[in-house]
Amino acid sequence: MSNGFLKVAGEKVVDGKGNSVILRGAGLGGWMNMENFITGYPGHEFQHRAAMLKVLGKEKQEFFFDKFLEYFFQDADAKFFASLGLNCIRLPFNYRHFEDDMNPRVLKESGFKHLDRVIDLCAKHNIYTILDMHTTPGGQNPDWHSDSGSSYAAFWDHKDHQDRTLWLWEQIAAHYKDNTWVAGYNPLNEPCDPEHWRLPAFYDRLEPALRKIDPNHILWLDGNTFAMEWRYFDHVLPNSVYALHDYSLMGFPTGDRFKGSADQLAKIEQQFLRKCSFMQERKVPGWNGEFGPVYSDPRMDSDAEEINQERYNLLGAQLAVYDKYQIPWSIWLYKDIGVQGMVYTDPDGLWNKTIQPFLEKKRALQLDAWGKYPSKEVADVIEPLAKWMDSIAPEATKTYPTSWPTQRHLVRNTVETFLAQSFAVEFANLFKDFTMEQLDEAAKSFSFERCKQRGGLNKIMSDHAEIHKKNAAA
């Protein structure tokens, strides 16, 4: 039984009895908001689902995806998660589970089927959940995980996209307004407004609209530009926590390797403090909604063990910073096919064995942005073009997100969109001749009993969850 609704009290989150609650856990990415690197397909989720429909037909496609959602998180997952001392799961979802673009503002009640199930499973094991609209109508950021099919975040230029998002949150708030195990709502994941001011303006519209329906739940509000910037945030909304995302390039194949030097440790803390400057200045709670390195595959990297130990060391260094400032956190992510998850599908299981040759092709062509490895083949095409563009159009270097060089913009618009979507049917064809039983087995590859556990990662998280528990009790 919960201790009532969580709420903001000064710089802390407390329960209904006034006890401090420091949430620590993980995001259930790849589940109700699928991502290419998490389950293996190329491009965007809506393209993947369309390709599977084309290849499998309606009955088999609907059967497979329903089974996938069922097996991806079950009671065994919640029990394991709680056993590590973790107490919160962030639940990303795609708006398309609840509303169709061709039938807007008509609620699909079926969208609540698996969301309700997982929220209830988590509650059974004393785990809070934060509901995260990871994908909005029009797309709120230029990356693959907003599932728009392009790098254009149309959400910001079309009021109707914003109105539909607000409407959908009203439906979700009405559904969960009495659930005390729901820790609150994360309205937009990693928003990227090129003009910056429209994000806080949207939050100013959303907050009073939701409070009329649900006066109790916390709003967990991401900063701009992938939850890293706070321009035009000039006031604090009531009962709200402000969220940053704190990835370190040292946790990725294209970044410097982490050696634990004084300079690297200082950089980790400085990066974190920059991202949470608004929260510290305004003395409001902050939440690190995403962070975490990716891990090396020993089948593909001869020095995988050494690399992964460095990544664990990096993670430990980041968590030490979060312990110092007593900030709640949610690592990315809980489960995948072996890139980043606490739990991952068996390399010898049906799903991974079926898609492994395709994964090697994706890696060579850099079809996925996340965790990609250097590719001379791609670089030889993109780098000269980027250099030429910068030389003839210097303004190109100022394109938002300005943290992206021209090369990154080009890869996103060509390799990760046009090229990647061209492989969607090829991926779906891997399952063309599967029977219903085989599709069930493929989906079951994601069940906890069939998965492997990343022991090094889970031990570090459990150790730091214990530190948080002691700090909360202090």
Side-chain angles (χ1 to χ4, degrees):
M1 185 175 179
S2 77
N3 285 331
F5 290 104
L6 298 186
K7 62 181 180 181
V8 172
E11 296 183 67
K12 293 184 178 182
V13 171
V14 299
D15 63 22
K17 296 182 178 180
N19 302 310
S20 178
V21 177
I22 300 179
L23 300 177
R24 62 275 183 204
L28 194 63
W31 177 57
M32 282 188 71
N33 190 74
M34 301 182 75
E35 296 190 34
N36 45 39
F37 78 94
I38 297 178
T39 55
Y41 65 87
H44 299 80
E45 178 180 359
F46 79 90
Q47 295 160 347
H48 169 49
R49 287 177 174 270
M52 293 289 272
L53 178 61
K54 181 177 181 179
V55 170
L56 297 178
K58 188 173 187 293
E59 182 182 10
K60 283 186 173 181
Q61 190 254 24
E62 290 181 352
F63 172 83
F64 168 76
F65 282 111
D66 186 62
K67 285 297 182 181
F68 168 81
L69 291 170
E70 176 187 335
Y71 290 130
F72 201 94
F73 197 90
Q74 298 181 298
D75 187 72
D77 293 281
K79 183 178 181 180
F80 167 72
F81 197 84
S83 76
L84 298 177
L86 303 171
N87 65 352
C88 185
I89 293 184
R90 180 179 180 229
L91 298 179
F93 62 89
N94 190 315
Y95 77 93
R96 292 185 175 95
H97 283 286
F98 298 94
E99 182 196 26
D100 287 329
D101 289 320
M102 297 303 290
N103 195 21
R105 296 179 182 83
V106 176
L107 184 66
K108 294 162 62 177
E109 293 285 351
S110 60
F112 290 112
K113 173 183 176 181
H114 289 289
L115 195 56
D116 284 351
R117 179 180 62 81
V118 167
I119 288 171
D120 289 345
L121 282 176
C122 288
K124 174 184 172 184
H125 293 278
N126 299 322
I127 300 168
Y128 289 100
T129 48
I130 294 175
L131 308 188
D132 154 35
M133 192 180 293
H134 222 72
T135 297
T136 69
Q140 75 281 8
N141 69 48
D143 258 337
W144 71 94
H145 43 81
S146 67
D147 199 31
S148 70
S150 77
S151 67
Y152 173 45
F155 177 88
W156 304 107
D157 292 332
H158 297 272
K159 185 174 180 292
D160 193 60
H161 290 323
Q162 298 176 30
D163 291 347
R164 284 172 57 193
T165 300
L166 195 155
W167 171 84
L168 183 51
W169 269 117
E170 289 175 332
Q171 313 311 306
I172 292 168
H175 190 83
Y176 292 113
K177 62 185 175 65
D178 297 320
N179 194 321
T180 56
W181 281 108
V182 172
Y185 310 132
N186 186 195
L188 298 175
N189 173 67
E190 296 192 341
C192 287
D193 170 22
E195 297 183 17
H196 295 273
W197 66 268
R198 294 175 294 187
L199 174 59
F202 178 74
Y203 287 156
D204 284 346
R205 285 184 63 206
L206 180 81
E207 188 269 338
L210 291 192
R211 297 302 186 208
K212 290 178 181 177
I213 297 166
D214 179 352
N216 294 310
H217 280 108
I218 294 171
L219 295 183
W220 304 77
L221 303 175
D222 280 23
N224 199 33
T225 315
F226 305 109
M228 295 189 291
E229 291 189 330
W230 302 99
R231 289 172 59 187
Y232 293 99
F233 280 76
D234 57 10
H235 60 278
V236 172
L237 293 174
N239 203 29
S240 296
V241 174
Y242 289 81
L244 64 111
H245 289 181
D246 193 33
Y247 290 104
S248 169
L249 289 176
M250 291 182 283
F252 293 82
T254 53
D256 294 334
R257 290 176 67 163
F258 180 73
K259 301 298 182 182
S261 70
D263 285 347
Q264 288 179 326
L265 292 171
K267 184 177 181 179
I268 289 170
E269 185 168 8
Q270 290 164 5
Q271 176 179 282
F272 166 75
L273 290 174
R274 175 180 62 79
K275 293 175 181 178
C276 67
S277 59
F278 173 78
M279 296 77 116
Q280 293 193 329
E281 291 167 5
R282 297 285 175 161
K283 298 191 180 305
V284 294
W287 173 51
N288 184 3
E290 288 187 25
F291 66 102
V294 299
Y295 298 97
S296 184
D297 186 341
R299 296 171 302 169
M300 304 178 79
D301 298 312
S302 59
D303 56 348
E305 185 175 348
E306 180 183 355
I307 291 172
N308 287 342
Q309 186 57 56
E310 291 172 356
R311 305 273 168 83
Y312 295 144
N313 294 342
L314 169 64
L315 179 62
Q318 287 184 286
L319 287 168
V321 171
Y322 309 150
D323 292 339
K324 178 179 177 179
Y325 294 96
Q326 296 193 36
I327 188 171
W329 44 257
S330 178
I331 200 169
W332 194 257
L333 49 89
Y334 173 65
K335 184 181 288 186
D336 66 1
I337 57 173
V339 177
Q340 195 172 18
M342 298 166 56
V343 174
Y344 59 95
T345 49
D346 186 344
D348 295 320
L350 178 59
W351 182 263
N352 282 52
K353 286 177 70 174
T354 301
I355 69 171
Q356 184 57 36
F358 190 87
L359 294 181
E360 293 169 9
K361 176 184 288 189
K362 282 213 302 178
R363 174 171 167 164
L365 297 178
Q366 290 189 335
L367 298 185
D368 294 347
W370 206 243
K372 69 181 177 184
Y373 284 73
S375 168
K376 184 178 184 302
E377 181 180 5
V378 177
D380 286 348
V381 174
I382 297 295
E383 288 180 3
L385 182 57
K387 185 177 180 180
W388 174 73
M389 285 186 169
D390 287 346
S391 69
I392 64 166
E395 283 295 311
T397 63
K398 302 175 184 178
T399 302
Y400 182 84
T402 53
S403 57
W404 287 8
T406 302
Q407 183 175 341
R408 171 73 191 117
H409 283 283
L410 282 173
V411 169
R412 174 68 194 133
N413 282 284
T414 56
V415 178
E416 296 169 15
T417 52
F418 181 77
L419 183 60
Q421 73 182 11
S422 303
F423 287 101
V425 172
E426 179 178 327
F427 182 85
N429 274 327
L430 297 174
F431 305 94
K432 181 178 180 180
D433 298 322
F434 274 36
T435 63
M436 287 290 202
E437 290 74 18
Q438 288 172 313
L439 288 171
D440 184 71
E441 280 295 307
K444 197 177 288 185
S445 298
F446 289 90
S447 66
F448 182 81
E449 292 80 6
R450 301 278 182 95
C451 286
K452 303 289 187 180
Q453 299 172 24
R454 195 172 294 280
L457 167 60
N458 296 333
K459 184 180 187 309
I460 292 170
M461 291 185 63
S462 183
D463 288 346
H464 285 271
E466 186 64 28
I467 292 171
H468 270 277
K469 190 181 297 183
K470 292 176 181 176
N471 287 338

